Amino acid sequence: MNAITPNPFDYHQFVNTEEGWIDRRIFWEETIYQRELEQIFAKAWQFVAHDSMIPETNDFYTTYMGEDGVIVSRQKDGSVNVFLNSCPHRGNKICLADEGNARNFSCNYHGWGFSPGGKLLGLPNEQIVYDDGDIDLERWGPRQARVDTYKGLIFATFDEEAPSLEEFLGDFRWYLDIMLDHDEGGTEFIGGGIKSYINANWKFGIENFIGDAYHGAWTHDSGARALMGESLPVPEPAGSYQASMNGHGWEFGTDGFYDLAILGQPKILEYYEKLKPKMAERLGELRATIFGSLASVAMFPNCSFLPGVQAFRVWLPRGPRKLELRTWTIVNKNMPDEIKQAFNIACNQTFNPAGIFEMDDGDNWEGNTSINKGVVTRGEKLHYGCGMKRRIEHSELPGVIYESQYSEANQRQFYQRWADLMSARSWDDVPTRYTPRYAGKPTRPE
Amino acid sequence: MSQTLSKTSGTKKNTANHASLELINEVQQFLYREARLLDAEQFRDWLGMLTEDIHYWMPYRYQRYRRNEKDPTIYEASYFNDSLDDLDKRVRRTEMDTCRSEDPASRFAHVITNIEVELTENSDELTVYSLTSVHRNMNEDDGHVMIGHREDLLRRVNSELKIARRKIILDQNIFTNKKLNTFL
Ligand code: FES
Ligand SMILES: [Fe+2]
């Protein structure tokens, strides 16, 4: 990986996982943000879409990898292409829609035409305008990303040197199966996702989902009481965990049902009561218990979900002080329609800009961000030292495991990974900070 | 006009469909009163203006090419897709002493315009189109404006008007604020 600009810093100076603090400048400074776009969003694998969003040939969806607009499109052979949403002529946006179906794309400026896969096909009045040798159509298509999928999720990266997706996800695949592979048909997204802005640094969203069980009972008390008639429980340290693998993290209890109950839909509970024994056959007792427990999850760098609530989201960076949130509802393909709709309604009622839980988060993250305008304020560190001594080894759980889901272990690991990537001159510089158990192995017995 | 807005309005010239000035006035006063209750966050009283079988729906507003446009359905992502019970849960949240994100309170102005009243085949029911522009100011300087195209079914229940259906089509594609802490 060639550094795009010389790397002036060791970014580990902003993140101290031994003493448990973070330098606030990483949530504010424009120069650090630009470096994130280069070192993280131009290099790491990122979630771009779910297979179910583009089921038919020539279906497309537009999104961003960092601030780079991309078109995600389904090819005739079933594969997916992801390419820059920018015309190589003068740079204009190729596609202006959120989603749709296109037999070809044409740029609105001079009309250069592109195949659904992103090949440059033709130039209007080519015979008159261009002479032989002016342009090689093969060479002048928009830049293509590397694409791979994991159990329905489509990922992409613009870095040829990046490790394989399997290696990038590592043992986190063992956990992902809990969400994506607990039923034989796999998953799909309910139609549509809601996009919204929050004036907060993108990392405040992701770190909340990766390991902030702590805020739940306080921030969301009114929502929990409105939905369930009672406050959220404060989980016992024993039997609840934070698990982290190279910046991906899952914090969870082992109560088995809390996040399923949170939506207040008896139908959903019934469906999962029936499914749980089959799930245990598929994934083992422990993983079947983890699903539906009080939990939240994030994949490095910017994708999150809530297993059981079935809220799925991506946090797109929009400058150091703004993010674009895209939210979806994820369900099992084989679920009865009635259960899918129960999730659609309940999930949207809780987790979108009008959601009963969502509404209580945004102001906090905006507060975390905007206050750093003050130079004195910005010079102060933030405390990330909760649960420093709770690291354990677990016979079944892969990754770096800390006991108690009230902990900042996953957040520290996330920022560690952030600093590792921010400082790296090549992928060889990026350490694996846990002992993989499933390298080269399937995470579910076939 | 985008297909996500109703196509039934505008061209119809059926005089039998014309509402009397008195009725139009009653509907206008009803909608203004509703707006005042929402401005004042008197959500419990607002729920009283809805029928038991209300469907309160604000689908997501996509940006699609004209050839790909389709009507929104209740089986897709929506800001609101609510029954009375669902709305009641949202209101309950605001009534809790721990609803910290609404304290200090936001300042709202619901501006209602473009009211059009149409009679329906059912003498107890009216179709009403209106435009709401909701101005929300909160914290020190956090301002936000939402424009909603509304299509209501109003029903007369024991001589009082109530809202039985409301569909709101928002102008925004990306919702440009962290929260939608009112009703439209
Ligand atoms: S900018 Fe796209 S055709 Fe000229
Ligand atoms: Fe939250």
Side-chain angles (χ1 to χ4, degrees):
Chain A
M1 131 173 126
N2 294 319
I4 296 164
T5 53
N7 195 345
F9 288 123
D10 180 1
Y11 285 82
H12 294 92
Q13 69 186 288
F14 296 103
V15 173
N16 192 319
T17 56
E18 310 278 284
E19 292 172 18
W21 54 257
I22 305 270
D23 189 310
R24 293 178 187 233
R25 285 176 290 178
I26 73 168
F27 303 112
W28 182 263
E29 299 292 349
E30 183 67 37
T31 48
I32 295 178
Y33 174 72
Q34 288 304 327
R35 196 75 195 153
E36 286 177 335
L37 294 181
E38 295 165 357
Q39 291 287 108
I40 294 175
F41 291 98
K43 299 194 189 304
W45 286 95
Q46 283 144 79
F47 164 81
V48 289
H50 190 286
D51 262 330
S52 60
M53 294 164 71
I54 46 169
E56 309 292 340
T57 301
N58 300 343
D59 280 354
F60 69 85
Y61 173 70
T62 57
T63 182
Y64 294 84
M65 293 166 67
E67 301 238 32
D68 289 303
V70 293
I71 301 173
V72 182
S73 94
R74 177 75 62 189
Q75 307 308 295
K76 228 189 252 151
D77 65 359
S79 66
V80 175
N81 279 17
V82 177
F83 53 96
L84 286 180
N85 188 6
S86 171
C87 176
H89 186 220
R90 287 295 176 277
N92 193 18
K93 235 178 172 184
I94 294 171
C95 177
L96 299 162
D98 295 339
E99 57 174 50
N101 186 280
R103 261 177 292 175
N104 51 58
F105 296 102
S106 56
C107 176
N108 278 357
Y109 197 178
H110 310 88
W112 281 23
F114 304 92
S115 76
K119 271 200 157 99
L120 178 56
L121 292 179
L123 322 166
N125 299 314
E126 187 177 349
Q127 312 300 343
I128 303 165
V129 181
Y130 291 95
D131 298 320
D132 267 359
D134 277 358
I135 181 163
D136 172 3
L137 298 191
E138 289 286 316
R139 145 107 181 66
W140 284 98
R143 176 153 169 202
Q144 298 279 340
R146 283 169 70 193
V147 182
D148 201 354
T149 62
Y150 189 74
K151 301 193 177 180
L153 305 187
I154 304 167
F155 292 83
T157 172
F158 278 108
D159 188 2
E160 288 303 324
E161 309 293 318
S164 67
L165 175 64
E166 183 174 320
E167 197 184 321
F168 182 80
L169 293 173
D171 282 7
F172 196 63
R173 291 172 299 134
W174 187 88
Y175 292 92
L176 278 177
D177 291 352
I178 298 172
M179 184 72 171
L180 303 173
D181 199 11
H182 72 240
D183 184 42
E184 59 187 351
T187 60
E188 65 185 19
F189 278 4
I190 299 270
I194 293 184
K195 306 191 280 191
S196 61
Y197 285 147
I198 302 178
N199 289 315
N201 184 276
W202 64 277
K203 296 188 289 302
F204 282 124
I206 203 84
E207 69 140 70
N208 176 275
F209 273 67
I210 211 166
D212 201 328
Y214 189 25
H215 87 295
W218 182 265
T219 294
H220 299 298
D221 186 65
S222 57
R225 282 162 62 198
L227 280 177
M228 299 179 298
E230 58 184 64
S231 295
L232 285 165
V234 173
E236 291 298 322
S240 75
Y241 305 93
Q242 295 217 344
S244 180
M245 286 129 279
N246 283 347
H248 314 298
W250 199 298
E251 61 86 6
F252 55 96
T254 48
D255 59 78
F257 75 95
Y258 209 90
D259 271 2
L260 288 167
I262 222 168
L263 297 175
Q265 297 274 341
K267 275 182 229 165
I268 287 175
L269 275 172
E270 267 167 47
Y271 167 83
Y272 270 107
E273 251 161 48
K274 263 190 237 153
L275 193 67
K276 279 257 178 168
K278 278 190 221 158
M279 230 154 123
E281 271 171 43
R282 227 178 144 72
L283 300 172
E285 281 294 336
L286 179 58
R287 284 194 283 180
T289 307
I290 292 173
F291 180 82
S293 298
L294 195 61
S296 65
V297 182
M299 268 187 285
F300 192 92
N302 65 335
C303 177
S304 308
F305 54 86
L306 298 174
V309 175
Q310 303 303 94
F312 198 101
R313 56 187 44 211
V314 63
W315 316 84
L316 302 173
R318 289 288 172 269
R321 301 151 206 177
K322 184 170 172 179
L323 66 87
E324 180 186 328
L325 172 62
R326 296 190 178 193
T327 65
W328 295 271
T329 304
I330 182 170
V331 293
N332 289 342
K333 235 180 243 168
N334 290 344
M335 255 175 202
D337 287 345
E338 187 195 19
I339 307 297
K340 287 182 186 174
Q341 182 63 351
F343 269 118
N344 178 30
I345 289 179
C347 199
N348 274 298
Q349 202 168 83
T350 45
F351 287 97
N352 76 43
I356 288 179
F357 290 123
E358 190 83 55
M359 274 194 283
D360 287 326
D361 280 318
D363 287 302
N364 292 331
W365 302 331
E366 291 192 353
N368 299 347
T369 303
S370 64
I371 203 73
N372 294 310
K373 191 169 192 175
V375 287
V376 178
T377 306
R378 193 153 80 234
E380 298 293 300
K381 306 283 185 270
L382 295 175
H383 182 259
Y384 279 77
C386 178
M388 299 280 282
K389 296 191 227 40
R390 299 193 195 129
R391 182 153 182 189
I392 58 162
E393 288 299 319
H394 194 283
S395 59
E396 274 189 85
L397 296 172
V400 175
I401 307 300
Y402 277 70
E403 198 169 43
S404 174
Q405 67 188 126
Y406 271 20
S407 162
E408 281 153 0
N410 278 2
Q411 298 180 342
R412 288 190 295 271
Q413 298 289 318
F414 172 84
Y415 288 111
Q416 179 79 60
R417 178 71 166 178
W418 176 89
D420 287 346
L421 274 166
M422 287 290 278
S423 312
R425 270 151 223 282
S426 83
W427 280 96
D428 297 337
D429 292 348
V430 183
T432 291
R433 293 188 182 269
Y434 71 103
T435 312
R437 297 181 191 181
Y438 291 93
K441 290 185 217 157
T443 46
R444 187 175 74 75
E446 291 307 318
Chain B
M1 187 194 275
S2 158
Q3 98 305 327
T4 49
L5 298 178
S6 173
K7 281 176 181 155
T8 57
S9 58
T11 51
K12 217 186 273 183
K13 276 267 156 27
N14 180 356
T15 43
N17 232 4
H18 276 182
S20 67
L21 280 177
E22 196 184 347
L23 183 60
I24 292 169
N25 191 48
E26 186 189 0
V27 168
Q28 283 180 343
Q29 289 298 309
F30 175 80
L31 294 180
Y32 293 159
R33 173 160 180 268
E34 184 201 8
R36 183 168 52 80
L37 290 180
L38 290 175
D39 285 354
E41 297 183 291
Q42 289 177 308
F43 299 130
R44 197 47 64 192
D45 295 338
W46 175 70
L47 290 177
M49 299 182 78
L50 316 177
T51 62
E52 299 279 320
D53 67 342
I54 174 92
H55 182 234
Y56 181 88
W57 184 36
M58 182 162 129
Y60 183 64
R61 187 76 187 264
Y62 294 93
Q63 169 152 288
R64 294 187 175 109
Y65 285 118
R66 291 173 189 273
R67 66 171 188 279
N68 289 144
E69 278 193 7
K70 42 188 170 182
D71 286 328
T73 76
I74 59 163
Y75 303 104
E76 294 164 71
S78 312
Y79 297 95
F80 298 98
N81 196 355
D82 284 20
S83 65
L84 188 60
D85 188 47
D86 295 327
L87 290 167
D88 187 76
K89 286 176 190 163
R90 294 180 193 272
V91 170
R92 255 184 280 158
R93 167 182 164 273
T94 67
E95 291 168 340
M96 300 292 169
D97 54 352
T98 51
C99 193
R100 302 182 178 94
S101 68
E102 304 303 333
D103 191 12
S106 299
R107 303 162 289 269
F108 295 103
H110 288 71
V111 181
I112 313 296
T113 59
N114 300 31
I115 299 166
E116 229 184 307
V117 182
E118 280 181 9
L119 304 179
T120 69
E121 274 156 29
N122 184 336
S123 62
D124 289 336
E125 293 184 340
L126 305 168
T127 301
V128 177
Y129 302 98
S130 61
L131 198 63
T132 180
S133 125
V134 181
H135 303 249
R136 203 263 332 264
N137 200 293
M138 63 175 288
N139 297 330
E140 286 172 293
D141 63 353
D142 182 353
H144 186 221
V145 179
M146 292 170 267
I147 310 286
H149 301 260
R150 305 193 301 188
E151 184 177 334
D152 294 346
L153 183 74
L154 300 191
R155 189 183 299 146
R156 205 173 283 286
V157 183
N158 302 329
S159 80
E160 267 185 78
L161 286 177
K162 299 217 173 202
I163 305 166
R165 301 273 176 280
R166 173 163 288 169
K167 175 171 148 191
I168 307 138
I169 302 292
L170 198 68
D171 274 357
Q172 294 179 1
N173 175 242
I174 298 181
F175 189 79
T176 56
N177 197 274
K178 82 214 107 170
K179 66 180 179 186
L180 202 179
N181 56 338
T182 185
F183 300 97
L184 275 80

